[in-house]
Amino acid sequence: MNLEEILEQVNMIFKKVFDNDAIVVNLETTADHVEEWDSLNHTAMIVEVEKHFNLKFKLKEVLSFQNVGDMVRTIHAKLQAA
């Protein structure tokens, strides 16, 4: 799975978690770009991403995410290593 395919699936997860079909995320998207992105929704989104891709993030990884791209690249690396 390449970065673009992962981003498409992550975007679907964002739409579900934030209950907003108008959301479109890209690699540079941050919490500042999504009005509903608070700590509760952040946690729900991480959980949904882990379930969807059947992986687990380390706390250190989650804390290092500066934008959606950081998360997508981490997902990609974990899927490649599996």
Side-chain angles (χ1 to χ4, degrees):
M1 187 177 300
N2 65 35
L3 292 176
E4 187 175 308
E5 293 167 329
I6 294 169
L7 180 60
E8 286 177 25
Q9 292 182 32
V10 166
N11 196 64
M12 291 186 324
I13 294 167
F14 267 79
K15 289 178 181 192
K16 175 183 172 186
V17 169
F18 294 99
D19 195 25
N20 182 347
D21 288 337
I23 289 179
V24 177
V25 297
N26 59 48
L27 296 177
E28 288 78 38
T29 300
T30 67
D32 293 337
H33 298 118
V34 180
E35 188 174 325
E36 302 88 9
W37 195 341
D38 57 18
S39 59
L40 183 60
N41 281 333
H42 181 80
T43 302
M45 185 259 308
I46 293 294
V47 169
E48 285 298 318
V49 166
E50 288 178 330
K51 284 196 303 192
H52 179 84
F53 290 101
N54 195 30
L55 54 80
K56 287 285 185 194
F57 293 120
K58 294 178 181 161
L59 179 59
K60 182 173 109 177
E61 292 170 328
V62 174
L63 295 175
S64 74
F65 296 159
Q66 297 295 309
N67 55 34
V68 171
D70 289 344
M71 181 173 59
V72 167
R73 286 184 284 277
T74 301
I75 294 166
H76 183 258
K78 286 181 173 290
L79 293 176
Q80 296 298 312

